[in-house]
Amino acid sequence: MTTPPALLIAGHGTRDDAGAEAFRAFVRELGRRRPDLPIAGGFIELSPPPLGEAVAELVERGVRRFAAVPLMLVSAGHAKGDIPAALAREKERHPGLTYTYGRPLGPHPSLLRVLERRLAEAVDPSWDPAEVTVLLVGRGSTDPDANAEVFKAARLLWEGRGYAGVETAFVSLAAPDVPSGLDRCARLGARRIVVLPYFLFTGILPDRVRTQTEEWATAHPDTEVRSADVIGPEPELLDLVLERYEEAVKGDLRMNCDSCVYRIALPGFEDKVGLPQQPHFHPDDDGHHHGHGHGHAHSHSHAH
């Protein structure tokens, strides 16, 4: 019987200890769910363990093939460049190692169901959805394609669920910010708003969303504002990661490249076309325990 490739989970990283532990606990839960698979997880930046250490762990367990799945909702710079570059570096560090790269989670229907649950938990049961405006708040990116994916998630969440509307905002790097998004909801006539963080786990940025929401609500007492929780380690998320793993193993990948700044000259981002990608520096990864040095610049084409 052929041994299936191992599963490597690539995380973003956070300075929030609880958020980092939520990721590590999620990886452990995946291992309990699939005891037949060697599974490891690491971060691109900010929190331990670094991705290189997770790869080394798999190699020490005898793994020669793995599929990497980015535990990210959208295809921004980490998923498009940093992770592929880091994986290329690990291949140089460990001769004979092979891998396939899966796609980010995206606005999958199962995650939309979790978002719908989070909304239901946040609102008063007596509220009519037609009187509720949702503000979906994403991380925010300098990549317009990544920001557009959050708008797509908002539209898919709106369709067929009866809310008055689903607006979009970002907590960093992109407009509109959270207060501006709430202002827009109010100008559209919203009297009941639920702010829904489009994040997998707790962390500094989701906390900032809640704080900014509370500040805006205090300044606008005529508008009823509720904050919903993050997606969290729900069964749907576990299932989706394993689905992305199976896609990567089978080669059934359908990543969208139509509006990628590394391939298409989008207005204001023309200098990014064909830009080589470097592995993201992780302070806990000095490369010494691998014995093969650091990788080189890596083409974005590998991410697709």
Side-chain angles (χ1 to χ4, degrees), residues 212-290:
Q212 292 178 353
T213 298
E214 292 171 353
E215 291 171 350
W216 189 94
T218 299
H220 299 80
D222 293 337
T223 305
E224 194 162 5
V225 184
R226 302 282 183 91
S227 288
D229 287 331
V230 296
I231 290 171
E234 294 293 284
E236 290 93 339
L237 181 58
L238 289 157
D239 290 340
L240 179 54
V241 169
L242 292 173
E243 181 179 324
R244 291 288 184 257
Y245 164 79
E246 295 293 344
E247 288 177 352
V249 169
K250 296 174 183 175
D252 181 24
L253 298 177
R254 298 178 296 277
M255 191 171 289
N256 174 33
C257 299
D258 293 341
S259 52
C260 173
V261 290
Y262 298 107
R263 288 174 175 254
I264 307 299
L266 298 180
F269 298 88
E270 292 87 352
D271 61 328
K272 289 185 176 290
V273 176
L275 194 67
Q277 300 300 301
Q278 296 281 3
H280 210 295
F281 172 73
H282 196 297
D284 296 322
D285 183 0
D286 58 12
H288 295 159
H289 56 287
H290 300 289

Coordinates of all heavy atoms in Angstrom, one line a residue, residues 212-290:
Q212 N -12.5 48.8 18.0 CA -13.0 49.9 17.1 C -14.5 49.9 17.0 O -15.1 50.9 16.9 CB -12.3 49.8 15.7 CG -10.8 50.0 15.8 CD -10.1 49.9 14.4 OE1 -10.8 49.5 13.4 NE2 -8.9 50.2 14.4
T213 N -15.1 48.7 16.9 CA -16.6 48.6 16.9 C -17.2 49.2 18.1 O -18.2 50.0 18.0 CB -17.0 47.1 16.7 OG1 -16.5 46.6 15.5 CG2 -18.5 47.0 16.7
E214 N -16.6 48.8 19.3 CA -17.2 49.4 20.5 C -17.0 50.9 20.6 O -17.9 51.6 21.1 CB -16.5 48.7 21.7 CG -16.8 47.2 21.9 CD -15.9 46.5 22.9 OE1 -15.0 47.1 23.4 OE2 -16.2 45.3 23.2
E215 N -15.9 51.4 20.1 CA -15.7 52.9 20.2 C -16.7 53.6 19.3 O -17.3 54.6 19.6 CB -14.3 53.2 19.7 CG -13.2 52.8 20.7 CD -11.8 52.9 20.2 OE1 -11.7 53.1 19.0 OE2 -10.9 52.7 21.0
W216 N -17.0 53.0 18.1 CA -17.9 53.6 17.2 C -19.4 53.5 17.7 O -20.1 54.5 17.7 CB -17.9 52.9 15.8 CG -18.7 53.5 14.7 CD1 -18.2 54.4 13.8 CD2 -20.1 53.4 14.4 NE1 -19.2 54.8 13.0 CE2 -20.4 54.2 13.3 CE3 -21.1 52.6 15.0 CZ2 -21.7 54.3 12.8 CZ3 -22.4 52.6 14.4 CH2 -22.7 53.5 13.4
A217 N -19.7 52.4 18.3 CA -21.0 52.2 18.9 C -21.3 53.2 20.0 O -22.4 53.8 20.2 CB -21.2 50.8 19.4
T218 N -20.2 53.5 20.9 CA -20.4 54.4 21.9 C -20.7 55.8 21.4 O -21.5 56.6 22.0 CB -19.1 54.5 22.8 OG1 -18.9 53.2 23.4 CG2 -19.2 55.5 23.9
A219 N -20.1 56.2 20.2 CA -20.3 57.5 19.6 C -21.6 57.6 18.8 O -22.0 58.7 18.4 CB -19.1 57.8 18.7
H220 N -22.2 56.4 18.6 CA -23.5 56.4 17.8 C -24.6 55.6 18.6 O -24.9 54.5 18.2 CB -23.3 55.8 16.5 CG -22.2 56.5 15.6 ND1 -20.9 56.4 15.8 CD2 -22.4 57.4 14.6 CE1 -20.3 57.1 14.9 NE2 -21.1 57.8 14.2
P221 N -25.1 56.2 19.7 CA -26.0 55.4 20.6 C -27.3 55.1 19.9 O -28.0 54.2 20.4 CB -26.2 56.4 21.8 CG -25.8 57.7 21.2 CD -24.7 57.5 20.2
D222 N -27.7 55.8 18.8 CA -28.9 55.5 18.2 C -28.9 54.2 17.3 O -29.9 53.8 16.8 CB -29.4 56.7 17.3 CG -29.7 57.9 18.1 OD1 -30.0 57.7 19.3 OD2 -29.6 59.0 17.6
T223 N -27.7 53.7 17.1 CA -27.5 52.5 16.3 C -27.2 51.3 17.2 O -26.2 51.4 18.0 CB -26.4 52.7 15.2 OG1 -26.7 53.9 14.4 CG2 -26.3 51.5 14.3
E224 N -27.9 50.2 17.0 CA -27.6 49.0 17.8 C -26.5 48.2 17.1 O -26.7 47.8 15.9 CB -28.8 48.2 18.0 CG -28.7 47.1 19.1 CD -30.0 46.6 19.6 OE1 -31.1 47.0 19.0 OE2 -30.0 45.8 20.5
V225 N -25.4 48.0 17.7 CA -24.2 47.3 17.1 C -23.8 46.1 18.0 O -23.7 46.2 19.2 CB -23.0 48.3 17.0 CG1 -21.9 47.6 16.2 CG2 -23.5 49.6 16.3
R226 N -23.7 45.0 17.3 CA -23.2 43.8 18.0 C -21.9 43.3 17.3 O -21.7 43.5 16.1 CB -24.2 42.7 17.9 CG -25.6 43.0 18.5 CD -25.6 42.9 20.0 NE -26.9 43.2 20.6 CZ -27.8 42.3 20.8 NH1 -27.6 41.0 20.5 NH2 -29.0 42.6 21.3
S227 N -21.1 42.6 18.1 CA -19.8 42.0 17.5 C -20.0 40.5 17.5 O -20.3 39.9 18.5 CB -18.6 42.4 18.3 OG -18.3 43.8 18.1
A228 N -19.7 39.9 16.4 CA -19.7 38.4 16.3 C -18.3 37.9 16.5 O -17.3 38.6 16.5 CB -20.2 38.0 14.9
D229 N -18.2 36.6 16.7 CA -16.9 35.9 17.0 C -16.3 35.5 15.7 O -16.9 35.4 14.6 CB -17.1 34.7 17.9 CG -17.4 35.1 19.3 OD1 -17.0 36.2 19.8 OD2 -18.1 34.3 20.0
V230 N -15.0 35.2 15.8 CA -14.2 34.6 14.6 C -14.7 33.2 14.3 O -15.5 32.6 15.0 CB -12.7 34.6 15.0 CG1 -12.2 36.0 15.2 CG2 -12.5 33.7 16.2
I231 N -14.3 32.7 13.2 CA -14.7 31.4 12.7 C -14.4 30.3 13.7 O -15.3 29.5 14.1 CB -14.1 31.1 11.3 CG1 -14.7 32.0 10.3 CG2 -14.3 29.6 10.9 CD1 -14.0 32.0 8.9
G232 N -13.1 30.2 14.1 CA -12.8 29.2 15.1 C -12.5 27.8 14.6 O -12.8 27.6 13.4
P233 N -12.1 26.9 15.4 CA -11.7 25.6 14.9 C -12.9 24.7 14.8 O -13.0 23.6 15.4 CB -10.8 25.1 16.0 CG -11.3 25.8 17.3 CD -11.7 27.1 16.8
E234 N -13.9 25.1 14.0 CA -15.1 24.3 13.8 C -14.9 23.0 13.0 O -13.9 23.0 12.2 CB -16.1 25.2 13.1 CG -16.6 26.4 14.0 CD -17.4 25.9 15.2 OE1 -18.5 25.5 15.1 OE2 -16.8 25.9 16.3
P235 N -15.8 22.1 13.1 CA -15.6 20.9 12.2 C -15.6 21.2 10.7 O -14.8 20.5 10.0 CB -16.9 20.0 12.6 CG -17.2 20.5 14.0 CD -16.9 21.9 14.0
E236 N -16.3 22.2 10.3 CA -16.3 22.6 8.9 C -14.9 23.0 8.5 O -14.5 22.7 7.3 CB -17.3 23.7 8.6 CG -18.7 23.3 8.7 CD -19.3 23.5 10.1 OE1 -18.6 23.6 11.1 OE2 -20.6 23.6 10.2
L237 N -14.2 23.7 9.4 CA -12.8 24.1 9.0 C -11.9 22.9 8.9 O -11.0 22.9 8.0 CB -12.3 25.1 10.0 CG -10.9 25.7 9.8 CD1 -10.8 26.4 8.4 CD2 -10.5 26.7 10.9
L238 N -12.0 22.0 9.8 CA -11.2 20.8 9.8 C -11.4 20.0 8.5 O -10.5 19.6 7.8 CB -11.5 19.9 11.0 CG -11.0 20.4 12.3 CD1 -11.8 19.8 13.4 CD2 -9.5 20.1 12.5
D239 N -12.7 19.9 8.1 CA -13.1 19.2 6.9 C -12.5 19.9 5.7 O -12.0 19.2 4.7 CB -14.6 19.1 6.7 CG -15.2 18.1 7.8 OD1 -14.5 17.3 8.3 OD2 -16.4 18.2 8.0
L240 N -12.6 21.2 5.7 CA -12.1 22.0 4.5 C -10.6 21.9 4.3 O -10.1 21.7 3.2 CB -12.5 23.5 4.6 CG -12.1 24.4 3.5 CD1 -12.6 23.8 2.1 CD2 -12.7 25.8 3.7
V241 N -9.9 21.9 5.4 CA -8.4 21.8 5.3 C -8.1 20.4 4.7 O -7.2 20.3 3.8 CB -7.7 22.0 6.6 CG1 -6.3 21.5 6.6 CG2 -7.8 23.4 7.1
L242 N -8.8 19.4 5.1 CA -8.5 18.0 4.6 C -9.0 18.0 3.1 O -8.3 17.3 2.3 CB -9.2 17.0 5.4 CG -8.6 16.8 6.8 CD1 -9.5 15.9 7.6 CD2 -7.2 16.3 6.7
E243 N -10.0 18.7 2.7 CA -10.4 18.8 1.3 C -9.3 19.4 0.5 O -9.0 19.0 -0.6 CB -11.7 19.5 1.2 CG -12.3 19.6 -0.2 CD -13.6 20.4 -0.3 OE1 -14.4 20.2 0.7 OE2 -13.8 21.1 -1.2
R244 N -8.8 20.5 1.0 CA -7.7 21.2 0.3 C -6.5 20.3 0.2 O -5.7 20.3 -0.8 CB -7.3 22.5 1.0 CG -8.4 23.6 0.9 CD -8.5 24.2 -0.5 NE -9.4 25.2 -0.5 CZ -10.7 25.1 -1.1 NH1 -11.1 24.0 -1.6 NH2 -11.5 26.2 -1.1
Y245 N -6.2 19.5 1.2 CA -5.1 18.5 1.1 C -5.4 17.5 0.0 O -4.4 17.2 -0.8 CB -5.0 17.8 2.5 CG -4.2 16.5 2.5 CD1 -2.8 16.5 2.5 CD2 -4.8 15.3 2.4 CE1 -2.1 15.4 2.4 CE2 -4.1 14.1 2.4 CZ -2.7 14.2 2.4 OH -2.0 13.0 2.3
E246 N -6.6 16.9 0.0 CA -6.9 15.9 -1.1 C -6.7 16.5 -2.5 O -6.2 15.9 -3.4 CB -8.3 15.4 -0.9 CG -8.4 14.6 0.4 CD -7.7 13.3 0.5 OE1 -7.2 12.8 -0.6 OE2 -7.5 12.7 1.6
E247 N -7.2 17.8 -2.6 CA -7.0 18.5 -3.9 C -5.5 18.5 -4.3 O -5.2 18.3 -5.5 CB -7.5 19.9 -3.9 CG -9.0 20.0 -3.8 CD -9.4 21.5 -3.6 OE1 -8.5 22.4 -3.4 OE2 -10.6 21.8 -3.7
A248 N -4.7 18.9 -3.4 CA -3.3 19.1 -3.7 C -2.6 17.7 -4.0 O -1.8 17.7 -4.9 CB -2.6 19.7 -2.5
V249 N -3.0 16.7 -3.3 CA -2.5 15.4 -3.5 C -2.9 14.9 -4.9 O -2.1 14.3 -5.7 CB -2.9 14.4 -2.5 CG1 -2.6 12.9 -2.9 CG2 -2.3 14.7 -1.1
K250 N -4.1 15.1 -5.3 CA -4.6 14.7 -6.6 C -4.2 15.6 -7.8 O -4.5 15.2 -8.9 CB -6.1 14.5 -6.6 CG -6.6 13.5 -5.6 CD -8.1 13.5 -5.4 CE -8.6 12.5 -4.4 NZ -10.1 12.5 -4.2
G251 N -3.7 16.8 -7.4 CA -3.4 17.7 -8.5 C -4.6 18.5 -9.0 O -4.5 19.1 -10.1
D252 N -5.7 18.4 -8.3 CA -6.9 19.1 -8.7 C -7.0 20.5 -8.1 O -7.7 20.8 -7.2 CB -8.1 18.3 -8.2 CG -9.5 18.9 -8.7 OD1 -9.5 19.6 -9.7 OD2 -10.5 18.6 -8.0
L253 N -6.1 21.4 -8.7 CA -6.0 22.7 -8.2 C -6.6 23.7 -9.2 O -6.3 23.6 -10.4 CB -4.5 23.1 -7.9 CG -3.8 22.2 -6.9 CD1 -2.4 22.6 -6.8 CD2 -4.5 22.4 -5.5
R254 N -7.4 24.7 -8.6 CA -8.0 25.6 -9.5 C -7.8 27.1 -9.0 O -8.8 27.8 -8.8 CB -9.5 25.3 -9.6 CG -9.8 24.0 -10.2 CD -11.3 23.7 -10.2 NE -11.9 23.6 -8.9 CZ -11.8 22.5 -8.1 NH1 -11.2 21.4 -8.6 NH2 -12.4 22.5 -6.9
M255 N -6.6 27.4 -8.7 CA -6.3 28.7 -8.2 C -6.5 29.8 -9.3 O -6.2 29.6 -10.4 CB -4.8 28.8 -7.7 CG -4.5 30.0 -6.9 SD -2.9 30.0 -6.1 CE -3.2 28.7 -4.8
N256 N -7.1 30.9 -8.8 CA -7.4 32.0 -9.8 C -6.2 32.9 -10.0 O -5.7 33.4 -9.0 CB -8.6 32.8 -9.2 CG -8.9 34.0 -10.1 OD1 -8.7 34.0 -11.3 ND2 -9.3 35.1 -9.4
C257 N -5.8 33.0 -11.2 CA -4.7 33.9 -11.6 C -5.1 35.1 -12.4 O -4.3 35.9 -12.8 CB -3.6 33.1 -12.4 SG -2.9 31.7 -11.5
D258 N -6.4 35.3 -12.6 CA -6.9 36.3 -13.5 C -6.6 37.7 -13.1 O -6.4 38.6 -13.9 CB -8.4 36.1 -13.8 CG -8.7 34.9 -14.5 OD1 -7.8 34.3 -15.2 OD2 -9.9 34.4 -14.5
S259 N -6.5 37.9 -11.7 CA -6.3 39.3 -11.2 C -5.1 39.3 -10.3 O -5.1 40.1 -9.3 CB -7.6 39.8 -10.6 OG -8.1 38.9 -9.6
C260 N -4.1 38.5 -10.5 CA -3.0 38.4 -9.7 C -2.0 39.5 -10.0 O -1.5 39.6 -11.2 CB -2.3 37.0 -9.8 SG -0.8 36.9 -8.9
V261 N -1.5 40.3 -9.1 CA -0.6 41.4 -9.4 C 0.7 40.9 -9.8 O 1.5 41.7 -10.4 CB -0.4 42.4 -8.1 CG1 -1.7 43.1 -7.9 CG2 0.0 41.6 -6.9
Y262 N 1.1 39.7 -9.6 CA 2.4 39.2 -10.0 C 2.4 38.7 -11.5 O 3.4 38.4 -12.0 CB 2.8 38.0 -9.1 CG 3.0 38.5 -7.7 CD1 2.1 38.1 -6.7 CD2 4.1 39.3 -7.3 CE1 2.3 38.5 -5.4 CE2 4.3 39.7 -6.0 CZ 3.3 39.3 -5.0 OH 3.5 39.8 -3.7
R263 N 1.1 38.6 -12.0 CA 1.0 38.2 -13.4 C 0.4 39.2 -14.3 O 0.7 39.3 -15.5 CB 0.1 36.9 -13.5 CG 0.8 35.7 -12.9 CD -0.2 34.5 -12.9 NE 0.5 33.3 -12.5 CZ 0.8 32.3 -13.3 NH1 0.5 32.4 -14.6 NH2 1.4 31.2 -12.9
I264 N -0.5 40.0 -13.7 CA -1.3 41.0 -14.5 C -1.0 42.4 -14.1 O -0.9 42.7 -12.9 CB -2.8 40.8 -14.3 CG1 -3.2 39.3 -14.6 CG2 -3.6 41.7 -15.2 CD1 -2.9 38.9 -16.0
A265 N -0.8 43.3 -15.0 CA -0.4 44.7 -14.7 C -1.7 45.5 -14.3 O -2.4 46.1 -15.1 CB 0.2 45.4 -15.9
L266 N -2.0 45.4 -13.0 CA -3.2 46.1 -12.5 C -2.8 47.6 -12.2 O -1.6 47.9 -11.8 CB -3.7 45.5 -11.2 CG -4.2 44.0 -11.3 CD1 -4.7 43.5 -9.9 CD2 -5.3 43.9 -12.3
P267 N -3.7 48.5 -12.4 CA -3.4 50.0 -12.2 C -2.8 50.2 -10.8 O -3.4 49.9 -9.8 CB -4.7 50.7 -12.3 CG -5.5 49.7 -13.2 CD -5.1 48.4 -12.8
G268 N -1.6 50.8 -10.8 CA -1.0 51.2 -9.5 C -0.1 50.1 -9.0 O 0.7 50.3 -8.0
F269 N -0.1 48.9 -9.6 CA 0.7 47.8 -9.2 C 1.6 47.2 -10.3 O 2.0 46.0 -10.2 CB -0.2 46.7 -8.6 CG -1.0 47.1 -7.4 CD1 -2.2 47.7 -7.6 CD2 -0.5 46.9 -6.1 CE1 -3.0 48.2 -6.5 CE2 -1.2 47.3 -5.0 CZ -2.5 48.0 -5.2
E270 N 1.8 48.0 -11.3 CA 2.5 47.5 -12.5 C 3.9 46.9 -12.2 O 4.4 46.0 -12.8 CB 2.6 48.5 -13.6 CG 1.3 48.9 -14.2 CD 0.6 50.0 -13.4 OE1 1.0 50.4 -12.3 OE2 -0.4 50.5 -13.9
D271 N 4.6 47.5 -11.1 CA 5.9 47.1 -10.8 C 6.0 45.7 -10.2 O 7.1 45.2 -10.0 CB 6.6 48.1 -9.8 CG 5.8 48.2 -8.5 OD1 4.6 48.1 -8.5 OD2 6.5 48.5 -7.5
K272 N 4.9 45.1 -9.8 CA 4.9 43.8 -9.2 C 4.9 42.6 -10.2 O 5.2 41.5 -9.8 CB 3.7 43.6 -8.2 CG 3.8 44.5 -7.0 CD 2.6 44.2 -6.1 CE 2.7 44.9 -4.7 NZ 3.8 44.4 -3.9
V273 N 4.7 42.9 -11.4 CA 4.6 41.8 -12.4 C 5.9 41.1 -12.5 O 7.0 41.7 -12.8 CB 4.1 42.4 -13.8 CG1 4.1 41.2 -14.8 CG2 2.7 43.0 -13.7
G274 N 5.9 39.8 -12.3 CA 7.1 39.0 -12.5 C 8.1 39.2 -11.3 O 9.2 38.7 -11.4
L275 N 7.7 39.8 -10.2 CA 8.6 40.1 -9.1 C 9.0 38.8 -8.5 O 8.2 38.0 -8.1 CB 7.9 41.0 -8.1 CG 8.8 41.7 -7.1 CD1 9.7 42.7 -7.7 CD2 7.9 42.4 -6.0
P276 N 10.3 38.6 -8.3 CA 10.8 37.3 -7.6 C 10.3 37.4 -6.1 O 10.2 38.4 -5.5 CB 12.3 37.4 -7.7 CG 12.6 38.3 -8.8 CD 11.5 39.3 -8.8
Q277 N 10.0 36.2 -5.6 CA 9.6 36.1 -4.2 C 10.6 35.5 -3.3 O 11.3 34.6 -3.7 CB 8.3 35.2 -4.2 CG 7.2 35.7 -5.0 CD 6.7 37.1 -4.5 OE1 6.3 37.3 -3.4 NE2 6.8 38.1 -5.4
Q278 N 10.8 36.1 -2.2 CA 11.8 35.7 -1.2 C 11.1 35.0 0.0 O 10.0 35.4 0.3 CB 12.6 36.9 -0.6 CG 13.4 37.6 -1.7 CD 14.7 36.8 -2.0 OE1 14.9 35.7 -1.4 NE2 15.6 37.3 -2.8
P279 N 11.7 34.0 0.6 CA 11.1 33.4 1.8 C 10.9 34.5 2.9 O 11.8 35.3 3.0 CB 12.1 32.3 2.2 CG 12.9 32.0 1.0 CD 12.9 33.3 0.2
H280 N 9.9 34.5 3.6 CA 9.7 35.4 4.7 C 10.6 35.1 5.8 O 10.8 34.0 6.2 CB 8.2 35.4 5.2 CG 7.7 36.7 5.7 ND1 8.2 37.3 6.9 CD2 6.7 37.5 5.3 CE1 7.6 38.4 7.1 NE2 6.7 38.6 6.2
F281 N 11.3 36.1 6.4 CA 12.2 35.9 7.5 C 11.4 35.6 8.8 O 10.6 36.3 9.2 CB 13.1 37.1 7.7 CG 13.9 37.0 9.0 CD1 15.0 36.2 9.0 CD2 13.6 37.7 10.1 CE1 15.8 36.0 10.1 CE2 14.4 37.6 11.3 CZ 15.5 36.8 11.3
H282 N 11.8 34.5 9.4 CA 11.2 34.1 10.7 C 12.3 34.1 11.7 O 13.3 33.4 11.6 CB 10.5 32.7 10.6 CG 9.6 32.4 11.8 ND1 10.0 32.4 13.1 CD2 8.3 32.2 11.8 CE1 9.0 32.1 13.9 NE2 7.9 32.0 13.1
P283 N 12.2 34.9 12.8 CA 13.3 35.0 13.8 C 13.7 33.7 14.5 O 14.8 33.6 15.0 CB 12.7 36.0 14.8 CG 11.2 36.0 14.6 CD 11.0 35.7 13.2
D284 N 12.8 32.7 14.5 CA 13.1 31.4 15.1 C 13.7 30.4 14.2 O 14.0 29.3 14.5 CB 11.8 30.8 15.7 CG 11.3 31.7 16.8 OD1 12.1 32.2 17.6 OD2 10.0 31.8 16.9
D285 N 13.9 30.8 12.9 CA 14.5 29.9 11.9 C 15.8 30.4 11.4 O 15.9 31.3 10.5 CB 13.5 29.8 10.7 CG 13.9 28.8 9.7 OD1 15.0 28.2 9.9 OD2 13.2 28.6 8.7
D286 N 16.9 29.9 12.0 CA 18.2 30.3 11.5 C 18.8 29.4 10.5 O 19.9 29.7 9.9 CB 19.2 30.4 12.7 CG 19.3 29.1 13.5 OD1 18.9 28.1 13.0 OD2 19.9 29.2 14.6
G287 N 18.1 28.3 10.2 CA 18.5 27.4 9.2 C 19.6 26.4 9.6 O 19.9 25.5 8.9
H288 N 20.2 26.6 10.8 CA 21.4 25.8 11.1 C 21.0 24.4 11.4 O 21.8 23.5 11.1 CB 22.0 26.4 12.4 CG 22.6 27.8 12.1 ND1 22.9 28.7 13.2 CD2 22.9 28.4 11.0 CE1 23.3 29.8 12.7 NE2 23.4 29.7 11.3
H289 N 19.8 24.1 11.9 CA 19.5 22.7 12.2 C 19.1 21.9 11.0 O 18.9 20.7 11.0 CB 18.3 22.7 13.2 CG 17.1 23.4 12.7 ND1 17.0 24.8 12.6 CD2 15.9 23.0 12.2 CE1 15.8 25.2 12.1 NE2 15.1 24.1 11.9
H290 N 19.1 22.6 9.8 CA 18.8 21.8 8.6 C 20.1 21.5 7.8 O 20.1 20.5 7.1 CB 17.9 22.7 7.7 CG 16.6 23.0 8.3 ND1 15.6 22.1 8.5 CD2 16.1 24.2 8.8 CE1 14.6 22.7 9.1 NE2 14.8 23.9 9.3

